[in-house]
Amino acid sequence: VLGGIGVWRLMPARTRAAHPVIRFALPASASVAPRGIGVGRHVLAISQDGTRLVYWADNKLYLRTLDRLDDAAPIRGTEDGREPFFSPDGQWIGFHQQGQLKRVSVAGGAPVSLVATLNPWGVNWDGDGVIRYGRGSDGIWQASPNGGAPTRSIEVGQGELAHGPQLLPDGKWI
């Protein structure tokens, strides 16, 4: 047993495989958040697995798959869309458009309306399947990715603002 422990301790430590570095350019013109419209808002999102990027430019959302060299493609039906976010599995893109939270498949198709809401301040589709979003002085709200009425889950105090709520890893705290 002592010999086995000695050999185990002398073995080189295993190192994790490094993730490849991916570099590319996004348009850095006035088309990204034109006239400051996106100030204080999210203008891009990266899927949890790190394979896709969605961003807002030219008044619509664009999707880029990071393992391909071709340019980003505009997402049909997302004109005037803001605050992009991904589903936990990366198969859906959520966004705010004309007073509603919506979702659209990364494979394409028509956007689906989820809930009516004012412009959110940061949106997250958490691993528990709930979409949470800040509404400034109106607190933190949540909605189902399948639709239905949104509910306020957390009120904020006088002079406080809610932005970009996230479910913490323990699943108990936001």
Side-chain angles (χ1 to χ4, degrees), residues 42-129:
H42 296 155
V43 294
L44 64 87
I46 300 173
S47 63
Q48 281 190 355
D49 65 4
T51 62
R52 293 185 176 101
L53 170 81
V54 64
Y55 64 93
W56 176 52
D58 301 323
N59 210 31
K60 61 182 145 270
L61 298 178
Y62 287 80
L63 177 64
R64 181 182 182 113
T65 304
L66 298 180
D67 63 352
R68 298 183 55 168
L69 295 175
D70 53 350
D71 290 331
I75 303 170
R76 190 173 55 98
T78 63
E79 295 76 15
D80 293 325
R82 306 276 194 278
E83 288 286 339
F85 59 96
F86 278 96
S87 64
D89 64 4
Q91 298 304 304
W92 294 93
I93 298 167
F95 60 99
H96 183 263
Q97 181 186 51
Q98 300 170 345
Q100 296 185 2
L101 282 181
K102 297 182 177 185
R103 66 181 165 97
V104 64
S105 172
V106 295
V112 176
S113 294
L114 304 177
V115 297
T117 184
L118 297 175
N119 198 6
W121 293 22
V123 185
N124 283 297
W125 191 336
D126 290 317
D128 63 351

